[in-house]
Amino acid sequence: MKASQFLISTLKDAPADAEVVSHKLMMRAGLIKKLGAGIYNYMPMGLRVIRKVEAIVREEMNKAGAIELTMPVVQPAELWQETGRFEKMGPELLRIKDRHGRDFVVQPTSEEVVTDIARQEIRSYKQLPKNFYQIQTKFRDERRPRFGLMRGREFIMKDAYSFDRDQVSAKQSYQVMADAYRKIFDRFGLTYRAVAADSGAIGGDLSEEFQVIAATGEDAIVYCPTSNYAANMEKAEALVPAHARGAATQAMAKTATPGKSTCEDVAALLNVPLNTTVKSLVLATDTLNDKGEVVKSHVWLLLLRGDHDMNEVKVGKLPGFEGGFRFATTQEIDDHFGCKPGYLGPVNLKQPLKIVADRDVAVMADWICGANEVDFHMTGVNFGRDVAEPDLVADIRNVVAGDASPDGQGVLAIERGIEVGHVFYLGTKYSQAMNATFLDVNGKPQFMEMGCYGIGVTRLPAAAIEQNHDERGMIWPDAIAPFTVVICPVNMDRSEDVKAAAFKLYEDLLALGVDVILDDRGERPGAMFADWELIGVPHRVTIGDKGLKDGVVEYQNRRDSESTKVAVADVLAHVKAQLGL
Amino acid sequence: MKASQFLISTLKDAPADAEVVSHKLMMRAGLIKKLGAGIYNYMPMGLRVIRKVEAIVREEMNKAGAIELTMPVVQPAELWQETGRFEKMGPELLRIKDRHGRDFVVQPTSEEVVTDIARQEIRSYKQLPKNFYQIQTKFRDERRPRFGLMRGREFIMKDAYSFDRDQVSAKQSYQVMADAYRKIFDRFGLTYRAVAADSGAIGGDLSEEFQVIAATGEDAIVYCPTSNYAANMEKAEALVPAHARGAATQAMAKTATPGKSTCEDVAALLNVPLNTTVKSLVLATDTLNDKGEVVKSHVWLLLLRGDHDMNEVKVGKLPGFEGGFRFATTQEIDDHFGCKPGYLGPVNLKQPLKIVADRDVAVMADWICGANEVDFHMTGVNFGRDVAEPDLVADIRNVVAGDASPDGQGVLAIERGIEVGHVFYLGTKYSQAMNATFLDVNGKPQFMEMGCYGIGVTRLPAAAIEQNHDERGMIWPDAIAPFTVVICPVNMDRSEDVKAAAFKLYEDLLALGVDVILDDRGERPGAMFADWELIGVPHRVTIGDKGLKDGVVEYQNRRDSESTKVAVADVLAHVKAQLGL
């Protein structure tokens, strides 16, 4: 490609609404252009990256035996009503009425449609397993679209769906996909981690997220530097502490803590470690009748160590919490504690309620909690003596760095990541809802076992930039760079030698199938270099009159601070070596 | 690809709602699957064809210097309001409200968005010309979606848009696209015709349709077998007749024609040629005020020869008809003719009105028309004597086979076609509406000259089938076949020789980069052959035990009725030769 025949459109400054570095750089380098909130044009430079991502995904999906098809962007509501998602999904699901007033949705994913295809196409166990995938436009009407392609409304996703005859086979299909994902992310040339993720109501371990590591990532990733353990924060288990509960050594006493309503403030006031305090969280669960009305509510007290945070996914799995939970109302709190939040505790309850203690709280002695009296806390509190033993002890907190690794192989560390892929064993959730059956070896209908597997095709470039950039711009891995090599001739219009050398190298690289761009725009060297550093093309060759007189050109790797002088005769070999050709 | 790892899903019968052969065959062969009215899943077999179409289009567009980008499927209404299309377009434009109640559309094309990009990106004449294209999902909410992919609601289109500094350059850009389209359609391997089309209000000749020739096509194509002239029916000019009007030889007389309200019936009754009769069409044009209310209507009488049909596009260009026209109401007809339709004519008018005569009517003498009295016609009518000379003589009819070619090089013939591409010079229609300007050489802002260029990517396979099929199924040209070669081993499970020969050829063809499928499903030969004939793979090699004993396999071209025996040692060379490799 010659730059003069392409659209190169760089900006000095990012638009004010670009908050994260990938969004800023993609806008500045002209990879994307905003059309509306969370809706972007994929500009020529950006589309090249997206197409390379798609090509790698497609190749590995095909190798893994998945079969490509395309499901419509606009889908009739009927199938979504079969699974109940048309009603259950919130305003994120973009709903449309056509000219006849019929309901449609713009697909956010395609479980319903692919299950409809499977139930029509697959009649016998002999046709299984099958895995169908598409690389297709999706839409989620996010309440707050932001961060450019990171959390857009319209985006491209690769979504695959596997169908199997039983769980054993489904788990194999899952593993084939998980392996393919590793190959895909390896090929992208990014640092990533596959982390165990929560598999919701289905249970088991068949859910992994593929996280591109970046300090700016939204997700906390938990891993063990000395083992293979890795999980997302929702999933990572906080083990039962190794030590048993110590004996009580203090008497319970009421202490004035005027205005100190947080564990941090109380610990500071009393000059004790934060981990000697206990925070009281009051939650409620509701029992509904057939009409969806609340007929009964239960109030629960959850106890967490002052330095720990509640993990909502873990809490959602507690017995009695399966139907969902909420924070208790002020009235409910007053009914049970006779006190407002900030000074709550399990002592002197106005009305009894069930207590769930985190595993780490359960082994504490002589702890501090609210006195159920404004401006007062209790110290020297002990289970069994001052407070009844908890009704339930469970892991209900987020792990923290330094916690023991669940695999027993060391301690946990935490880093940030951006989720760009997810493999998930679905079980029969959709096949049951949509009656997708096949005839098994005995001729009996069985529900298909399903899995779903997503890659955020347009999110991936944003994640790559969050991980790979510097103050000058983006730094692309070769595999997904908009161009692999850029040739920058300096003052080409004034030197036939420069022009000849630049075109020679350009033609040679094209002949090798290298994705090279020749910058023939006639820009000044400074502006030209700044553009390509911003755009982040990984390999640059600069050809100038002065160098040519000494028989050299300059090779610059985008990651290096210094360029290398290379003899004109060796430049092709040098570039080839850099590209691993 | 091995068939066992793909999805091959053929049906004995087409669904009842499939009306045309391409729709029937695409459904039967499992290329598409209906999801809703005019909305289809592109199944694995069909997607392969679509991807090949896309690849050819993309390659030639890139070669022609067009730059690929992608514009969103869901587009904010604001830009569509700038051009007025949000209001003007009918219910074909699918409108959506997002969660905040803001208006959006699902793109049917992208003139607004691409013009918005151009007005932001292009500042100087130095950046021109530019041509941006996308291959992207579109939606048109057709009132009566039908014929499968031929007239669907969701479809894939390649749409390109050129931007130029002046008309001269715009016409060059147009020509580059027209040439690229010829290369693209040549590569598809289909019989097609590029025909001049009406360019609407812009005038000039810069509008061509690319029509795939098929007896079942919706469009009538006019061409001259002895010259290069080709146009669509709307555009093809009926020349001024070579002969002048003859002298009147008959006296005008009223003749009873009870119940004969059509020219055909009258000519039959009177035993005269149809081309001696004249049909009277009564049209009306309305003048609107600022509020869009009708303030005045004009009624017009159009005269056409009895054997000719009105051409609405031509009529729409008559002076006074630019704002649109309609058929007159019964009341308007009665006001002017004092008679009901079927017996109307330009004689004995109750109230005068303007008369437009077709060129062929203007040269008639002694003609027959309605008497403005039910059950009566006039014979021997002549202009100047019985009827005033027409106010206007114009070409207002469709041409018919045998008419003189407008280029004077012979006579016209008519065939049917399916429009799959269109190149169109837009002028400044959109750039003016959206104020898309650039600075010219003198630093003065000028509106960009635009062109637009479409190819119906998902319609093309349907058109290909309409042109290429037989009673057994589809017949694909090599370039867009789902697979180029199919290898059919007979009873492979019972013969190691068959298996070995089949796999050898399969591997050899794969190594050559041939898109080959090996049918390893273990189907009976009859069912296997029927499937591949239905699917229309152009080249088939059948390998059986009996043949192998004689050292031969069978090669069958899908177009031939007979297969050819080929020595096992020669089969690869034979297939290569068939593929032109």
Side-chain angles (χ1 to χ4, degrees), chain A residues 30 66 71 75-76 89 103 109 205 217 242 269 300 382 410 423 447 469 482-484 507 530-531 546:
Chain A
M71 293 175 272
Q75 303 184 344
M89 272 188 81
D103 287 312
T109 58
D205 291 325
L269 176 75
W300 306 72
N382 283 277
V423 290
F447 292 117
H469 65 271
F483 295 96
T484 318
E507 301 291 346
D531 273 355
K546 217 178 101 189

PDB file of all heavy atoms in Angstrom, chain A residues 30 66 71 75-76 89 103 109 205 217 242 269 300 382 410 423 447 469 482-484 507 530-531 546:
ATOM      1  N   GLY A  30      -6.629   7.805  14.082  1.00  0.00           N
ATOM      2  CA  GLY A  30      -7.598   7.629  12.997  1.00  0.00           C
ATOM      3  C   GLY A  30      -8.001   6.186  12.768  1.00  0.00           C
ATOM      4  O   GLY A  30      -8.357   5.807  11.660  1.00  0.00           O
ATOM      5  N   ALA A  66     -14.666 -26.094  14.146  1.00  0.00           N
ATOM      6  CA  ALA A  66     -15.896 -25.308  14.205  1.00  0.00           C
ATOM      7  C   ALA A  66     -16.297 -24.912  12.782  1.00  0.00           C
ATOM      8  O   ALA A  66     -15.444 -24.778  11.908  1.00  0.00           O
ATOM      9  CB  ALA A  66     -15.704 -24.073  15.075  1.00  0.00           C
ATOM     10  N   MET A  71     -25.542 -15.616  11.427  1.00  0.00           N
ATOM     11  CA  MET A  71     -26.934 -15.434  11.862  1.00  0.00           C
ATOM     12  C   MET A  71     -27.286 -13.959  11.745  1.00  0.00           C
ATOM     13  O   MET A  71     -26.413 -13.102  11.846  1.00  0.00           O
ATOM     14  CB  MET A  71     -27.078 -15.975  13.280  1.00  0.00           C
ATOM     15  CG  MET A  71     -26.886 -17.493  13.301  1.00  0.00           C
ATOM     16  SD  MET A  71     -26.878 -18.244  14.937  1.00  0.00           S
ATOM     17  CE  MET A  71     -25.135 -18.119  15.374  1.00  0.00           C
ATOM     18  N   GLN A  75     -33.167 -10.009  14.573  1.00  0.00           N
ATOM     19  CA  GLN A  75     -33.751 -11.338  14.832  1.00  0.00           C
ATOM     20  C   GLN A  75     -35.175 -11.210  15.356  1.00  0.00           C
ATOM     21  O   GLN A  75     -35.448 -10.367  16.214  1.00  0.00           O
ATOM     22  CB  GLN A  75     -32.880 -12.072  15.858  1.00  0.00           C
ATOM     23  CG  GLN A  75     -31.417 -12.200  15.413  1.00  0.00           C
ATOM     24  CD  GLN A  75     -30.559 -13.015  16.375  1.00  0.00           C
ATOM     25  OE1 GLN A  75     -30.959 -13.253  17.517  1.00  0.00           O
ATOM     26  NE2 GLN A  75     -29.397 -13.434  15.907  1.00  0.00           N
ATOM     27  N   PRO A  76     -36.070 -12.067  14.862  1.00  0.00           N
ATOM     28  CA  PRO A  76     -37.459 -12.029  15.348  1.00  0.00           C
ATOM     29  C   PRO A  76     -37.512 -12.320  16.843  1.00  0.00           C
ATOM     30  O   PRO A  76     -36.748 -13.142  17.358  1.00  0.00           O
ATOM     31  CB  PRO A  76     -38.133 -13.154  14.557  1.00  0.00           C
ATOM     32  CG  PRO A  76     -37.223 -13.479  13.433  1.00  0.00           C
ATOM     33  CD  PRO A  76     -35.843 -13.122  13.862  1.00  0.00           C
ATOM     34  N   MET A  89     -34.224  -9.806  29.755  1.00  0.00           N
ATOM     35  CA  MET A  89     -33.086  -8.908  29.535  1.00  0.00           C
ATOM     36  C   MET A  89     -33.565  -7.477  29.663  1.00  0.00           C
ATOM     37  O   MET A  89     -34.667  -7.126  29.247  1.00  0.00           O
ATOM     38  CB  MET A  89     -32.462  -9.146  28.153  1.00  0.00           C
ATOM     39  CG  MET A  89     -31.400 -10.238  28.182  1.00  0.00           C
ATOM     40  SD  MET A  89     -30.484 -10.361  26.616  1.00  0.00           S
ATOM     41  CE  MET A  89     -29.283  -9.036  26.806  1.00  0.00           C
ATOM     42  N   ASP A 103     -42.285  -7.650  16.708  1.00  0.00           N
ATOM     43  CA  ASP A 103     -41.116  -7.397  17.554  1.00  0.00           C
ATOM     44  C   ASP A 103     -39.872  -8.089  17.032  1.00  0.00           C
ATOM     45  O   ASP A 103     -39.921  -9.262  16.645  1.00  0.00           O
ATOM     46  CB  ASP A 103     -41.395  -7.885  18.986  1.00  0.00           C
ATOM     47  CG  ASP A 103     -42.366  -6.968  19.707  1.00  0.00           C
ATOM     48  OD1 ASP A 103     -42.153  -5.743  19.653  1.00  0.00           O
ATOM     49  OD2 ASP A 103     -43.321  -7.483  20.320  1.00  0.00           O
ATOM     50  N   THR A 109     -26.168 -11.520  21.355  1.00  0.00           N
ATOM     51  CA  THR A 109     -25.534 -12.835  21.167  1.00  0.00           C
ATOM     52  C   THR A 109     -26.580 -13.638  20.398  1.00  0.00           C
ATOM     53  O   THR A 109     -27.615 -13.105  20.045  1.00  0.00           O
ATOM     54  CB  THR A 109     -25.234 -13.569  22.499  1.00  0.00           C
ATOM     55  OG1 THR A 109     -26.466 -13.724  23.201  1.00  0.00           O
ATOM     56  CG2 THR A 109     -24.246 -12.797  23.351  1.00  0.00           C
ATOM     57  N   ASP A 205     -16.223 -26.389  36.786  1.00  0.00           N
ATOM     58  CA  ASP A 205     -15.095 -25.502  36.520  1.00  0.00           C
ATOM     59  C   ASP A 205     -15.035 -25.086  35.071  1.00  0.00           C
ATOM     60  O   ASP A 205     -14.032 -24.567  34.611  1.00  0.00           O
ATOM     61  CB  ASP A 205     -13.787 -26.211  36.880  1.00  0.00           C
ATOM     62  CG  ASP A 205     -13.675 -26.399  38.383  1.00  0.00           C
ATOM     63  OD1 ASP A 205     -14.145 -25.503  39.102  1.00  0.00           O
ATOM     64  OD2 ASP A 205     -13.139 -27.429  38.809  1.00  0.00           O
ATOM     65  N   GLY A 217      -6.851  -2.348  33.186  1.00  0.00           N
ATOM     66  CA  GLY A 217      -7.977  -3.258  33.009  1.00  0.00           C
ATOM     67  C   GLY A 217      -9.072  -3.085  34.055  1.00  0.00           C
ATOM     68  O   GLY A 217      -8.792  -2.733  35.202  1.00  0.00           O
ATOM     69  N   ALA A 242      -5.617 -21.256  57.960  1.00  0.00           N
ATOM     70  CA  ALA A 242      -4.841 -22.396  58.451  1.00  0.00           C
ATOM     71  C   ALA A 242      -4.903 -22.504  59.976  1.00  0.00           C
ATOM     72  O   ALA A 242      -4.797 -23.584  60.525  1.00  0.00           O
ATOM     73  CB  ALA A 242      -3.385 -22.264  57.988  1.00  0.00           C
ATOM     74  N   LEU A 269      -8.827   5.188  65.307  1.00  0.00           N
ATOM     75  CA  LEU A 269      -9.127   5.829  66.598  1.00  0.00           C
ATOM     76  C   LEU A 269      -8.588   4.998  67.761  1.00  0.00           C
ATOM     77  O   LEU A 269      -7.991   5.512  68.709  1.00  0.00           O
ATOM     78  CB  LEU A 269     -10.640   6.015  66.732  1.00  0.00           C
ATOM     79  CG  LEU A 269     -11.143   6.578  68.068  1.00  0.00           C
ATOM     80  CD1 LEU A 269     -10.841   8.084  68.143  1.00  0.00           C
ATOM     81  CD2 LEU A 269     -12.641   6.335  68.246  1.00  0.00           C
ATOM     82  N   TRP A 300     -30.566 -10.858  56.788  1.00  0.00           N
ATOM     83  CA  TRP A 300     -29.363 -11.617  57.140  1.00  0.00           C
ATOM     84  C   TRP A 300     -28.258 -10.640  57.554  1.00  0.00           C
ATOM     85  O   TRP A 300     -28.149  -9.546  57.002  1.00  0.00           O
ATOM     86  CB  TRP A 300     -28.816 -12.388  55.926  1.00  0.00           C
ATOM     87  CG  TRP A 300     -29.808 -13.277  55.239  1.00  0.00           C
ATOM     88  CD1 TRP A 300     -30.859 -12.898  54.473  1.00  0.00           C
ATOM     89  CD2 TRP A 300     -29.804 -14.702  55.241  1.00  0.00           C
ATOM     90  NE1 TRP A 300     -31.533 -13.987  53.988  1.00  0.00           N
ATOM     91  CE2 TRP A 300     -30.897 -15.128  54.435  1.00  0.00           C
ATOM     92  CE3 TRP A 300     -28.992 -15.678  55.832  1.00  0.00           C
ATOM     93  CZ2 TRP A 300     -31.188 -16.468  54.224  1.00  0.00           C
ATOM     94  CZ3 TRP A 300     -29.284 -17.012  55.610  1.00  0.00           C
ATOM     95  CH2 TRP A 300     -30.384 -17.407  54.811  1.00  0.00           C
ATOM     96  N   ASN A 382     -16.330 -11.886  71.301  1.00  0.00           N
ATOM     97  CA  ASN A 382     -15.970 -13.272  70.979  1.00  0.00           C
ATOM     98  C   ASN A 382     -17.210 -14.104  70.701  1.00  0.00           C
ATOM     99  O   ASN A 382     -18.229 -13.953  71.376  1.00  0.00           O
ATOM    100  CB  ASN A 382     -15.187 -13.888  72.140  1.00  0.00           C
ATOM    101  CG  ASN A 382     -13.744 -13.412  72.157  1.00  0.00           C
ATOM    102  OD1 ASN A 382     -12.895 -13.933  71.463  1.00  0.00           O
ATOM    103  ND2 ASN A 382     -13.485 -12.357  72.954  1.00  0.00           N
ATOM    104  N   GLY A 410       1.282 -21.851  46.979  1.00  0.00           N
ATOM    105  CA  GLY A 410       1.929 -20.554  47.191  1.00  0.00           C
ATOM    106  C   GLY A 410       0.908 -19.536  47.626  1.00  0.00           C
ATOM    107  O   GLY A 410      -0.152 -19.894  48.146  1.00  0.00           O
ATOM    108  N   VAL A 423     -14.848 -18.756  27.489  1.00  0.00           N
ATOM    109  CA  VAL A 423     -15.368 -20.081  27.097  1.00  0.00           C
ATOM    110  C   VAL A 423     -16.240 -20.561  28.244  1.00  0.00           C
ATOM    111  O   VAL A 423     -15.902 -20.386  29.419  1.00  0.00           O
ATOM    112  CB  VAL A 423     -14.231 -21.081  26.784  1.00  0.00           C
ATOM    113  CG1 VAL A 423     -13.518 -20.682  25.492  1.00  0.00           C
ATOM    114  CG2 VAL A 423     -13.235 -21.187  27.925  1.00  0.00           C
ATOM    115  N   PHE A 447     -31.849 -33.884  25.516  1.00  0.00           N
ATOM    116  CA  PHE A 447     -31.475 -32.488  25.298  1.00  0.00           C
ATOM    117  C   PHE A 447     -29.991 -32.394  24.937  1.00  0.00           C
ATOM    118  O   PHE A 447     -29.157 -33.107  25.493  1.00  0.00           O
ATOM    119  CB  PHE A 447     -31.733 -31.659  26.555  1.00  0.00           C
ATOM    120  CG  PHE A 447     -33.192 -31.512  26.863  1.00  0.00           C
ATOM    121  CD1 PHE A 447     -33.734 -32.037  28.035  1.00  0.00           C
ATOM    122  CD2 PHE A 447     -34.040 -30.856  25.971  1.00  0.00           C
ATOM    123  CE1 PHE A 447     -35.090 -31.917  28.310  1.00  0.00           C
ATOM    124  CE2 PHE A 447     -35.399 -30.726  26.243  1.00  0.00           C
ATOM    125  CZ  PHE A 447     -35.921 -31.265  27.414  1.00  0.00           C
ATOM    126  N   HIS A 469       1.708   0.432  24.600  1.00  0.00           N
ATOM    127  CA  HIS A 469       1.757   1.819  24.141  1.00  0.00           C
ATOM    128  C   HIS A 469       2.842   2.552  24.921  1.00  0.00           C
ATOM    129  O   HIS A 469       3.319   2.044  25.948  1.00  0.00           O
ATOM    130  CB  HIS A 469       0.403   2.500  24.362  1.00  0.00           C
ATOM    131  CG  HIS A 469       0.038   2.628  25.807  1.00  0.00           C
ATOM    132  ND1 HIS A 469      -0.653   1.661  26.493  1.00  0.00           N
ATOM    133  CD2 HIS A 469       0.303   3.598  26.717  1.00  0.00           C
ATOM    134  CE1 HIS A 469      -0.806   2.028  27.758  1.00  0.00           C
ATOM    135  NE2 HIS A 469      -0.238   3.202  27.917  1.00  0.00           N
ATOM    136  N   PRO A 482      -1.742  -2.740  11.871  1.00  0.00           N
ATOM    137  CA  PRO A 482      -2.419  -2.325  10.634  1.00  0.00           C
ATOM    138  C   PRO A 482      -1.508  -2.510   9.425  1.00  0.00           C
ATOM    139  O   PRO A 482      -1.975  -2.897   8.350  1.00  0.00           O
ATOM    140  CB  PRO A 482      -2.771  -0.861  10.875  1.00  0.00           C
ATOM    141  CG  PRO A 482      -1.968  -0.416  12.045  1.00  0.00           C
ATOM    142  CD  PRO A 482      -1.646  -1.640  12.844  1.00  0.00           C
ATOM    143  N   PHE A 483      -0.240  -2.214   9.593  1.00  0.00           N
ATOM    144  CA  PHE A 483       0.800  -2.568   8.624  1.00  0.00           C
ATOM    145  C   PHE A 483       1.965  -3.125   9.426  1.00  0.00           C
ATOM    146  O   PHE A 483       2.215  -2.689  10.545  1.00  0.00           O
ATOM    147  CB  PHE A 483       1.258  -1.348   7.816  1.00  0.00           C
ATOM    148  CG  PHE A 483       0.181  -0.786   6.932  1.00  0.00           C
ATOM    149  CD1 PHE A 483      -0.600   0.282   7.368  1.00  0.00           C
ATOM    150  CD2 PHE A 483      -0.082  -1.334   5.680  1.00  0.00           C
ATOM    151  CE1 PHE A 483      -1.621   0.788   6.567  1.00  0.00           C
ATOM    152  CE2 PHE A 483      -1.096  -0.820   4.873  1.00  0.00           C
ATOM    153  CZ  PHE A 483      -1.861   0.237   5.319  1.00  0.00           C
ATOM    154  N   THR A 484       2.698  -4.071   8.850  1.00  0.00           N
ATOM    155  CA  THR A 484       3.805  -4.670   9.589  1.00  0.00           C
ATOM    156  C   THR A 484       5.055  -3.799   9.484  1.00  0.00           C
ATOM    157  O   THR A 484       5.806  -3.651  10.439  1.00  0.00           O
ATOM    158  CB  THR A 484       4.097  -6.083   9.038  1.00  0.00           C
ATOM    159  OG1 THR A 484       2.860  -6.745   8.799  1.00  0.00           O
ATOM    160  CG2 THR A 484       4.922  -6.888  10.020  1.00  0.00           C
ATOM    161  N   GLU A 507       8.857  -2.999  -3.150  1.00  0.00           N
ATOM    162  CA  GLU A 507       8.510  -4.097  -4.066  1.00  0.00           C
ATOM    163  C   GLU A 507       9.015  -5.437  -3.541  1.00  0.00           C
ATOM    164  O   GLU A 507       8.315  -6.449  -3.631  1.00  0.00           O
ATOM    165  CB  GLU A 507       9.091  -3.833  -5.470  1.00  0.00           C
ATOM    166  CG  GLU A 507       8.609  -2.535  -6.130  1.00  0.00           C
ATOM    167  CD  GLU A 507       7.127  -2.564  -6.521  1.00  0.00           C
ATOM    168  OE1 GLU A 507       6.547  -3.670  -6.525  1.00  0.00           O
ATOM    169  OE2 GLU A 507       6.555  -1.486  -6.779  1.00  0.00           O
ATOM    170  N   ALA A 530       6.318  10.956  13.532  1.00  0.00           N
ATOM    171  CA  ALA A 530       5.327  11.084  14.602  1.00  0.00           C
ATOM    172  C   ALA A 530       4.050  10.305  14.245  1.00  0.00           C
ATOM    173  O   ALA A 530       3.475   9.615  15.094  1.00  0.00           O
ATOM    174  CB  ALA A 530       4.997  12.553  14.850  1.00  0.00           C
ATOM    175  N   ASP A 531       3.640  10.413  12.987  1.00  0.00           N
ATOM    176  CA  ASP A 531       2.453   9.671  12.548  1.00  0.00           C
ATOM    177  C   ASP A 531       2.629   8.171  12.762  1.00  0.00           C
ATOM    178  O   ASP A 531       1.755   7.497  13.313  1.00  0.00           O
ATOM    179  CB  ASP A 531       2.190   9.920  11.054  1.00  0.00           C
ATOM    180  CG  ASP A 531       1.337  11.162  10.816  1.00  0.00           C
ATOM    181  OD1 ASP A 531       0.874  11.775  11.804  1.00  0.00           O
ATOM    182  OD2 ASP A 531       1.158  11.540   9.645  1.00  0.00           O
ATOM    183  N   LYS A 546      21.375  11.294   2.839  1.00  0.00           N
ATOM    184  CA  LYS A 546      22.631  11.319   3.575  1.00  0.00           C
ATOM    185  C   LYS A 546      23.102   9.902   3.877  1.00  0.00           C
ATOM    186  O   LYS A 546      24.244   9.529   3.606  1.00  0.00           O
ATOM    187  CB  LYS A 546      22.424  12.088   4.891  1.00  0.00           C
ATOM    188  CG  LYS A 546      23.633  12.945   5.279  1.00  0.00           C
ATOM    189  CD  LYS A 546      23.359  13.731   6.556  1.00  0.00           C
ATOM    190  CE  LYS A 546      23.987  13.089   7.768  1.00  0.00           C
ATOM    191  NZ  LYS A 546      23.562  13.705   9.049  1.00  0.00           N
TER     192      LYS A 546
END
